[in-house]
Amino acid sequence: MKTARIIHRWVGASLAVLLILVSATGTLLIWKNTYLGFVFPQSALAFERSIEPMATIALSADAAFGEAAISRIEFGDQSFGLSKVYLVDKRSAFIAPDGQILAVWEPNGRFEDWLLDLHHRLLTGTIGLYIIGFTGIAALVLIGAGLIAYWPARRTWRSGLALRSLKRAELLRLHRNTGILLALPIAAVILAGVVLTFPETSRAAFFWPYENDDSYGQNFGDGVDAVSGSSETSWPKVLARAASVFPGAEITGLAWPQGTGVKRVLIRESGEWAEHGNSSVHITDYDGYMDLRIDARTLPIGEKSYNFLGDLHRSHLGGWVYNIIQTLIGLGLICLGVIGLISFIGARFSFSSPQRSTYKKAR
């Protein structure tokens, strides 16, 4: 218990400022579309994810930027009508439901992109990415040490979350009670962030039971159509073909064939939690052959878990209820960081020994 307390105290103090920053920026990013709704009134126009409107967006993007410049598109929906274009040169753009190009910007050229880079890379590229990733791993150790250290005092959680004074013992009680309540949700969000930070390592960890299994991917050819020919590679036909082999599903985005020779249609099936879905259809750009039809519901459990964690962290599970839950988790982590840091500094520089004794008795 003593070792766990020491680890929790010093690791928490070391990470507090960075965790507060990452939590604050992540919480703001949850409401990115709400902010963009004030900036772009056109986002209030519902976008219908049917063949004709989606083809209009794809063809407008091709006309504006050229096929060789586009990486992918995420289509708008009923609640946020703007579609986002990702370009090969790292620029991005918004397209209105009628195909009008509303904005084009460089990396970090808009507030929400700058905020995402601050959250994910500390505005310092790969170095910041690794700092955030290893901070996440250390934070998981911090949570584990905290649960071990304060488990004997778990019954005092009944004293609630109300802050009755600014005394150190009261601050620590609130820190402990909030931490016990939010430990598992916070750990899940942080683990998901670590997975996104180290994707290749994470994929290897989640995929290792079957990555070399001959049976993996054998069903990716099930349900493909028998159509082919260069005339079948236009976006209207690609969209229609994808919809025909995934009846009742929703097309959420497109990926251009840069370096792959394959046009990819991103699909969300009924029953999928992910806002953008993890199913897809692959059609070769040179001969129109439907190469793959990947049904996310049939993927191995490891790959499903990997996809789920990514969607969990990015708030892609959809719905305002989930956004509120994630906001509360983010605010809770900010609260833990601020209170923990104040208590740590106070114990070193301000608080007298009688107050420490009071805390020990309360604990």
Side-chain angles (χ1 to χ4, degrees), residues 8 20 22 55 90 93 103 131 148 152 162 199 204-205 213 223 286-287 295 300 334 354:
H8 184 79
I20 292 169
V22 172
K90 305 302 181 183
I131 291 173
I148 294 171
D213 193 330
Y286 46 89
D287 61 3
D295 187 336
I334 293 171

Side-chain angles (χ1 to χ4, degrees), residues 188 192 273-274 278 301-314 316-317 322:
W273 287 18
N278 290 301
I301 186 63
E303 193 164 355
K304 286 182 179 178
S305 300
Y306 175 85
N307 291 337
F308 173 77
L309 286 172
D311 293 322
L312 171 73
H313 189 83
R314 290 183 295 237
H316 283 180
L317 298 185
Y322 178 72

Side-chain angles (χ1 to χ4, degrees), residues 328-344:
L328 292 175
I329 293 172
L331 294 176
L333 185 50
I334 293 171
C335 176
L336 288 169
V338 170
I339 293 175
L341 187 59
I342 291 173
S343 299
F344 180 86

Side-chain angles (χ1 to χ4, degrees), residues 62-191:
D62 274 346
F65 304 109
E67 293 183 4
I70 303 172
S71 175
R72 61 189 174 92
I73 283 180
E74 288 180 359
F75 290 121
D77 55 24
Q78 294 293 319
S79 60
F80 185 77
L82 304 186
S83 298
K84 187 172 183 179
V85 183
Y86 297 85
L87 301 173
V88 173
D89 62 5
K90 305 302 181 183
R91 291 183 301 155
S92 303
F94 280 133
I95 302 184
D98 62 359
Q100 177 188 0
I101 307 297
L102 297 179
V104 183
W105 64 94
E106 301 289 335
N108 292 354
R110 291 192 50 79
F111 170 70
E112 66 278 5
D113 275 19
W114 177 87
L115 193 65
L116 177 61
D117 194 33
L118 177 61
H119 174 76
H120 199 41
R121 295 184 178 86
L122 299 176
L123 306 179
T124 57
T126 302
I127 294 175
L129 182 71
Y130 285 135
I131 291 173
I132 292 295
F134 286 114
T135 296
I137 294 172
L140 294 174
V141 174
L142 171 70
I143 292 170
L147 289 174
I148 294 171
Y150 297 110
W151 188 249
R154 64 191 182 279
R155 292 182 180 84
T156 62
W157 193 88
R158 297 171 185 170
S159 57
L161 300 175
L163 183 62
R164 294 184 284 267
S165 74
L166 294 178
K167 292 182 179 180
R168 182 168 180 265
E170 188 69 10
L171 290 174
L172 287 169
R173 180 194 60 79
L174 178 61
H175 180 86
R176 179 182 62 239
N177 290 357
T178 304
I180 292 174
L181 177 66
L182 295 179
L184 292 181
I186 288 174
V189 172
I190 291 175
L191 174 62

Side-chain angles (χ1 to χ4, degrees), residues 217-238:
Q218 285 188 351
N219 62 337
F220 289 175
D222 295 348
V224 299
D225 65 24
V227 180
S228 63
S230 58
S231 63
E232 300 296 327
T233 63
S234 66
W235 282 119
K237 290 192 175 183
V238 166

